[in-house]
Each structure stands twice: as C-alpha cells, then as structure tokens.
Amino acid sequence: MSQIKVEKNVGGIEGLCIITPLVHGDARGYFMETYNLNDMNEAGLDYNFVQDNQSASVKGVLRGLHKQKNYPQTKLVRAVRGTVYDVAVDMRKDSKTYLKWYGVVLSEENKKQFLIPKGFAHGFLVLSDYAEFCYKVDDFFHPDDEDGIAWNDPTVAVDWKIPEGMEIILSEKDKRWQPLK
C-alpha cells in the first residue's frame, strides 16, 4: 500500500507535484516515510536523487529564485521545522506554462513535499520565526552553474504572500539576480 498521496500538475503546470505522506500517529507522536522509491515509481515519479541538502533560516529570509544553467536539478523539498512559502517558476521555454509560477505552504504540521522537475526556478520565504528546509536533488551541486532571477521580477510577478510588516532578508547573491526583461 502506497504511503503517499500525489497531486500532479498542480497549478496547471506540467510536472509540479505535491506529495503528502501517510502519517501514522498516536499519543506518543508519529511516524512517516519521507521518501520511498517504490511509492514514487508507482506514482510515475521516476527520479534518481543523489544528494540531500538542508538549510536553516529565520523569519523573513527569502532564498531564490534559483536555477541552474547547464546542470538542471529536479528537487523534492519540504520543511521539517517551521513554515515556508515555496515557489516554483516554469522556465522551460517550450512549455505552455512558461514563466507561470505556483506556490505552496510547506510546514512541519502539514508535512507536504513539493516536487519541482528540471527546468524551474525555485525559491522560498520563511514565514515562521525559524525554519529548517530539506531537499533532495537528482544532480550534484555545480557551483559555477548557479543562476537566478530577481525574486520580485515584474514579468513573473510572484505573489509571495508577504505578511504585513515583514522585512525581507536576502543574501548578497540573491540581491544581484536581475529581472528577465
């Protein structure tokens, strides 16, 4: 029996999936499988993840929008602590949804995971006081391959759901990404 529920092509964007694990809980706590190759394959999600990454951030940190130039990565992301608003932007020029974006709240409470295939820019905004964010990728990190677009690019026009009064905190690298046009 599969331990996941998969919503495919969320936001009408081919390839984007929200994966919700089956959580077994009682008074002691809970147990869930965070990744099962057989369940993923059964759902038609055949990826070979080769690296796990984790970051920690404080409220207001916005990481993104990141993409790769020559070594694109499929990402399977989730918040293991706190809450983030996670966004994927379709950068596949031959796609019917080119430059369309989709966002989803990922939290330690909802335990949802977001599958973002190759060809997307990706970013997230930390909504809680603190968040730990994990992601699997299907290619290794190539430092010279990093690219990105401005988080507030008017062409893409992501609605980051920024709470009133929240100060956005960007890395120096993320401040340098340019708008598309």
Side-chain angles (χ1 to χ4, degrees), residues 6-176:
V6 179
E7 298 171 63
K8 292 186 175 182
N9 304 325
V10 293
I13 303 173
E14 187 177 338
L16 287 184
C17 299
I18 295 176
I19 300 168
T20 306
L22 180 62
V23 179
H24 307 275
D26 59 26
R28 300 168 298 154
Y30 72 88
F31 171 85
M32 68 180 189
E33 292 180 0
T34 60
Y35 179 78
N36 181 304
L37 180 65
N38 292 333
D39 287 348
M40 294 290 281
N41 288 342
E42 184 179 309
L45 305 173
D46 186 19
Y47 298 101
N48 181 31
F49 293 110
V50 298
Q51 183 174 315
D52 283 347
N53 302 315
Q54 184 165 334
S55 67
S57 305
V58 296
K59 187 177 202 166
V61 166
L62 194 150
R63 296 183 185 266
L65 291 161
H66 302 150
K67 60 189 183 84
Q68 297 77 36
K69 293 181 250 182
N70 301 304
Y71 300 97
Q73 297 174 321
T74 295
K75 299 175 178 89
L76 180 61
V77 301
R78 65 191 177 104
V80 294
R81 186 167 171 199
T83 303
V84 305
Y85 186 66
D86 199 81
V87 171
V89 179
D90 190 348
M91 301 301 295
R92 303 170 297 181
K93 290 187 176 163
D94 60 346
S95 169
K96 291 182 249 173
T97 53
Y98 177 62
L99 298 183
K100 186 173 179 184
W101 63 273
Y102 182 81
V104 61
V105 172
L106 304 176
S107 70
E108 65 184 297
E109 286 83 21
N110 71 23
K111 298 178 180 30
K112 291 180 179 181
Q113 299 180 49
F114 194 24
L115 180 76
I116 304 160
K118 290 174 168 60
F120 284 76
H122 172 253
F124 65 90
L125 171 65
V126 178
L127 301 173
S128 54
D129 289 337
Y130 174 83
E132 291 180 19
F133 190 78
C134 293
Y135 50 109
K136 294 184 169 311
V137 293
D138 70 345
D139 196 0
F140 296 102
F141 176 65
H142 300 271
D144 297 333
D145 198 48
E146 288 185 296
D147 198 7
I149 58 175
W151 68 276
N152 57 354
D153 182 316
T155 302
V156 177
V158 171
D159 177 2
W160 286 98
K161 314 279 189 225
I162 299 169
E164 189 173 326
M166 177 183 273
E167 181 181 334
I168 299 300
I169 304 166
L170 299 171
S171 70
E172 289 305 313
K173 175 179 68 176
D174 287 346
K175 288 177 185 177
R176 290 191 297 269

